[in-house]
Amino acid sequence: DEFISSPPRKTVRFGGTLTEILLKYEKGDTTDFELLKHQLSDPDIKDAQIINWLHEFRASVAYLTKELEQLVNILLKLPWLRRSREVVEEYLGFLGNLVSAQTVHLRPCLRMIVSQFVPPRITIREDDVDISDSDDDDENISENFDTCHRALQTVARYVPSTPQFLMPILVEFFPFINKSERTLECYVHNLLRVTVYLPTLRLQILELIIEKLLKLDVSTPQQDIEDAEETANNCASEEKSTEEGLFDMEEDEDRKGNKVVSPSIERMAHPLAERLDILMTILFSYIKDVCHVDGKLDISNTKDLYRDLVSVFDKLILPTHASCHVQYFMFYICSFKLGLAEAFLDHLWKKLQDPNNPSVIRQTAGSYIGSFLARAKFIPIVTVKACLDLLVNWLHKYIDNQDTGANAYCDVALHGPFYSTCQAVFYTLIFRHKQLLDGNLRKGLSYLQSLNFERIVMCQLNPLKICIPSVVNLFAAITRKYQLVFCYTIIERNNRQFIPVVRSGTGGDLVQTCTNPLDSFFPFDPYILKRSKKTIDPMYQFWEELSAEDLENLKKPIKKGTSEDEDDDFLKGETPQNDGVVEIAPNSYESNTRSPVSSIGSPADCYVPYPL
């Protein structure tokens, strides 16, 4: 108040007062008006001059009508953010006065503020050639962002309709995905900050961010990321071997000192994967911060955010095929409380069983249920059993309705949701069978027998022919061991009926065998982005690789009449977790010829020989 009431410092200026200049302009005398525009556009304008002009403009906002839009635009381009505190405060006061008196300038004001949500660019020129164009590493950038949010809150306080005008501008200014990591990181971070003081925009902002993340995700297939990492590791190894033996003395000195971890270890080799990793880390941090107050879970906040995220999931994630990482925001928020995980499963279950939903959405919902039950450590076995009961009962009812009708034959187009549900059940059993049988073997076996897998496997719809072979092989081995169902006769019959597809092209005939007729994928396959995976890994169930002994055990049926107290090595023995041994995983990147790195942490496409 003292600052505002004090007279402005004297500065050199030309022309009369601002009011006189604007009145002259209305009468057609533009000389002083042009001089005013020139002074305001001067790149060397001093703080005192800015304060002096802003003080006058605050008192004359009534004159700044639509006709003076050009002058207002010059004022909005003033370099106010990187000035003294006095300039910043005066400018915020001017913005408040302007939008409250002349709402016609609301959009330009919002555009000016949002344009500051990314770091400025520093361009270095030599002989009219740009030799450098990079983000400004200004150490005050965080403070500048704080000021931008103060400005936005000021405008929103004076104009209640600000959110509806702001959202299209936030969409328009979202940087392209090929912009620098720093630019994308700052913009997304600032968008999420807006949701804190403009909560009505939260759902739309989350939709916007997740839509952009999804584009990044589907633009970087998992195989491309793995190939880039492998190439980078090979190059690093070659450089290391080339330099080996050089500067031994310095290396010895380094060994004596503290071990320094290279920051490049944290970076993803694939540039788009690096951007996605940074943005996923920000999104996970945001979810955690919103849901926790003073380190404790706030149930109300968490439920509200969960509803918004489920809405985004339904609109964007569920209809998108084979995204690898973005869907993990649902995995993460569900880990906070079992009730959320159960609500998510119930939501997916309703999608799956609703015949009014498109078949592809029902199939994808089935994939999410199976992958979520298999991979989420935080889901207890009692919930897994409840879900298996629902899914298996639905399968039996489906068979009741279809097995004797005109459509009782194997056809993905007709029975896609059925096959997707079968695969979800098989996949869940592969991951969870030890826990289902743990403690009381007889009781566990009795439960699995009650699911009547034999009827599902033997039905006319023939799910073993449609499901991914790696899942079928492991399911067949496990169910044979516990004498739940014998699948190998059906598998062999399916293999005999299976005719490879021959396609002719310019390069000659190509023989293809379709191992994934469902075109299904497991949404929660191993997460491979280096930074953000640290958030997911503690709650993620990796596949415990089958040892040679376990594979041998899978070939031997369990003896009938086994005592429930008798130890069973396969059930109770801990198999070592995968330590980099690479095998083929039952995921959507199915291959029987080589072993993708993505399969680390996934069940192997093991071939268990048919018993003679």
Side-chain angles (χ1 to χ4, degrees):
D1 293 341
E2 184 182 343
F3 168 74
I4 292 171
S5 61
S6 62
R9 283 175 283 178
K10 297 292 182 183
T11 56
V12 178
R13 54 180 286 181
F14 304 95
T17 64
L18 179 63
T19 305
E20 291 170 356
I21 293 171
L22 297 178
L23 287 172
K24 283 182 185 178
Y25 177 74
E26 286 180 6
K27 293 174 182 176
D29 183 356
T30 62
T31 307
D32 289 345
F33 185 77
E34 292 300 323
L35 190 61
L36 169 64
K37 289 199 304 183
H38 179 73
Q39 288 184 33
L40 291 172
S41 303
D42 183 2
D44 298 321
I45 191 169
K46 301 290 189 294
D47 284 10
Q49 289 174 300
I50 294 177
I51 291 170
N52 195 7
W53 279 122
L54 289 175
H55 197 76
E56 287 197 48
F57 273 109
R58 287 181 68 176
S60 307
V61 287
Y63 294 99
L64 298 178
T65 56
K66 175 73 173 172
E67 287 70 31
L68 293 177
E69 186 176 14
Q70 189 182 13
L71 178 61
V72 172
N73 286 337
I74 292 172
L75 287 168
L76 294 178
K77 289 177 183 174
L78 279 173
W80 64 282
L81 262 181
R82 291 157 189 82
R83 298 280 180 161
S84 64
R85 187 185 66 82
E86 289 82 0
V87 171
V88 169
E89 296 302 326
E90 188 69 33
Y91 197 87
L92 291 176
F94 162 71
L95 278 181
N97 286 15
L98 178 65
V99 295
S100 59
Q102 304 285 351
T103 52
V104 69
H105 299 304
L106 176 61
R107 277 196 185 93
C109 288
L110 293 176
R111 290 173 67 86
M112 180 274 295
I113 296 168
V114 173
S115 70
Q116 305 290 341
F117 278 3
V118 294
R121 305 294 290 177
I122 299 298
T123 303
I124 301 172
R125 296 174 66 86
E126 277 189 11
D127 300 327
D128 294 327
V129 177
D130 291 349
I131 61 168
S132 174
D133 182 21
S134 59
D135 294 328
D136 185 5
D137 291 330
D138 184 359
E139 58 189 31
N140 296 321
I141 196 164
S142 179
E143 186 180 330
N144 291 340
F145 289 153
D146 291 343
T147 306
C148 286
H149 289 288
R150 278 187 61 202
L152 198 51
Q153 289 176 72
T154 300
V155 171
R157 189 166 60 248
Y158 285 111
V159 186
S161 60
T162 293
Q164 71 186 69
F165 291 97
L166 176 62
M167 196 60 221
I169 294 168
L170 295 178
V171 174
E172 178 190 346
F173 276 83
F174 203 106
F176 293 115
I177 59 173
N178 60 351
K179 290 290 185 183
S180 72
E181 295 99 335
R182 181 67 174 150
T183 297
L184 286 163
E185 177 185 13
C186 290
Y187 195 79
V188 169
H189 188 270
N190 283 316
L191 283 190
L192 292 171
R193 281 187 67 177
V194 171
T195 67
V196 176
Y197 54 84
L198 294 177
T200 56
L201 286 182
R202 184 168 74 181
L203 178 57
Q204 294 176 70
I205 286 176
L206 286 172
E207 268 185 29
L208 171 62
I209 291 171
I210 289 169
E211 181 187 7
K212 300 296 183 181
L213 290 178
L214 207 49
K215 286 181 180 176
L216 269 174
D217 202 5
V218 297
S219 300
T220 51
Q222 198 160 357
Q223 193 61 55
D224 289 1
I225 297 174
E226 290 159 357
D227 290 344
E229 289 297 318
E230 187 177 350
T231 303
N233 290 338
N234 290 340
C235 291
S237 300
E238 286 173 14
E239 287 175 14
K240 189 176 180 182
S241 61
T242 304
E243 294 172 3
E244 206 166 299
L246 297 176
F247 311 113
D248 285 339
M249 289 176 64
E250 281 129 31
E251 286 178 10
D252 290 340
E253 289 298 319
D254 288 342
R255 288 190 192 105
K256 292 174 187 175
N258 294 328
K259 187 177 179 183
V260 179
V261 179
S262 171
S264 63
I265 294 173
E266 287 286 315
R267 288 185 65 85
M268 300 296 298
H270 195 296
L272 293 184
E274 171 68 9
R275 290 165 174 74
L276 182 60
D277 193 11
I278 291 169
L279 299 184
M280 287 301 293
T281 303
I282 293 172
L283 183 59
F284 288 153
S285 298
Y286 172 78
I287 291 171
K288 183 180 179 182
D289 289 346
V290 169
C291 295
H292 293 81
V293 177
D294 298 327
K296 294 181 180 178
L297 187 70
D298 185 291
I299 301 299
S300 177
N301 288 354
T302 306
K303 283 182 178 178
D304 289 343
L305 181 60
Y306 169 82
R307 290 188 193 99
D308 285 347
L309 291 177
V310 165
S311 176
V312 178
F313 175 85
D314 284 349
K315 184 175 179 179
L316 299 176
I317 304 293
L318 206 53
T320 303
H321 179 68
S323 58
C324 300
H325 301 97
V326 179
Q327 59 266 25
Y328 270 89
F329 68 80
M330 286 306 307
F331 192 95
Y332 183 52
I333 193 169
C334 287
S335 70
F336 294 162
K337 192 170 179 60
L338 178 58
L340 296 176
E342 291 176 341
F344 184 51
L345 285 165
D346 182 60
H347 180 75
L348 292 169
W349 164 241
K350 287 173 181 172
K351 293 275 183 192
L352 171 63
Q353 66 171 344
D354 185 358
N356 295 318
N357 283 327
S359 180
V360 65
I361 295 295
R362 297 174 68 191
Q363 287 173 222
T364 307
S367 297
Y368 270 93
I369 291 173
S371 199
F372 192 57
L373 288 174
R375 295 296 195 171
K377 270 186 183 177
F378 48 83
I379 296 181
I381 201 64
V382 65
T383 304
V384 173
K385 288 173 77 171
C387 290
L388 282 176
D389 287 339
L390 274 176
L391 295 171
V392 171
N393 286 338
W394 184 83
L395 290 174
H396 285 301
K397 286 179 183 175
Y398 193 94
I399 294 169
D400 289 339
N401 294 332
Q402 298 288 340
D403 218 17
T404 55
N407 294 329
Y409 56 90
C410 184
D411 189 329
V412 175
L414 286 174
H415 309 295
F418 171 81
Y419 295 123
S420 181
T421 306
C422 286
Q423 187 160 276
V425 170
F426 298 164
Y427 192 69
T428 303
L429 184 72
I430 290 168
F431 271 86
R432 296 284 196 159
H433 70 276
K434 288 187 181 181
Q435 290 170 275
L436 287 166
L437 295 165
D438 196 24
N440 190 327
L441 180 58
R442 184 173 294 170
K443 190 176 178 182
L445 283 173
S446 176
Y447 168 72
L448 290 179
Q449 286 163 359
S450 72
L451 297 177
N452 197 0
F453 286 127
E454 185 172 8
R455 182 170 184 254
I456 296 170
V457 166
M458 300 288 185
C459 75
Q460 294 294 315
L461 303 180
N462 196 358
L464 296 186
K465 186 175 182 179
I466 300 299
C467 295
I468 292 175
S470 50
V471 173
V472 170
N473 284 339
L474 277 167
F475 174 75
I478 290 166
T479 52
R480 175 182 173 271
K481 176 177 175 59
Y482 297 106
Q483 298 189 356
L484 299 171
V485 60
F486 192 80
C487 300
Y488 292 110
T489 307
I490 300 169
I491 293 172
E492 284 188 332
R493 186 183 69 207
N494 290 339
N495 289 341
R496 284 197 298 271
Q497 293 173 350
F498 194 75
I499 302 173
V501 179
V502 181
R503 293 182 180 173
S504 295
T506 53
D509 289 347
L510 175 67
V511 180
Q512 290 184 328
T513 56
C514 180
T515 57
N516 188 4
L518 263 180
D519 198 23
S520 58
F521 71 108
F522 299 107
F524 298 117
D525 263 354
Y527 192 97
I528 60 172
L529 302 178
K530 292 179 183 176
R531 291 182 189 83
S532 45
K533 80 191 295 284
K534 293 174 184 174
T535 303
I536 298 299
D537 280 0
M539 61 196 70
Y540 187 79
Q541 179 61 57
F542 289 92
W543 173 251
E544 293 183 349
E545 188 184 323
L546 295 175
S547 64
E549 184 182 353
D550 287 335
L551 287 171
E552 194 64 33
N553 281 337
L554 282 178
K555 301 173 195 173
K556 300 175 185 174
I558 193 167
K559 293 176 184 175
K560 291 211 173 188
T562 301
S563 165
E564 61 186 76
D565 298 322
E566 190 177 320
D567 283 345
D568 182 272
D569 292 336
F570 181 71
L571 282 178
K572 298 180 181 176
E574 288 292 320
T575 54
Q577 196 159 350
N578 193 323
D579 285 326
V581 181
V582 179
E583 294 197 43
I584 299 171
N587 56 22
S588 45
Y589 310 99
E590 183 73 33
S591 166
N592 290 312
T593 56
R594 72 189 197 94
S595 307
V597 181
S598 64
S599 59
I600 294 178
S602 288
D605 187 6
C606 64
Y607 173 72
V608 182
Y610 302 143
L612 299 173

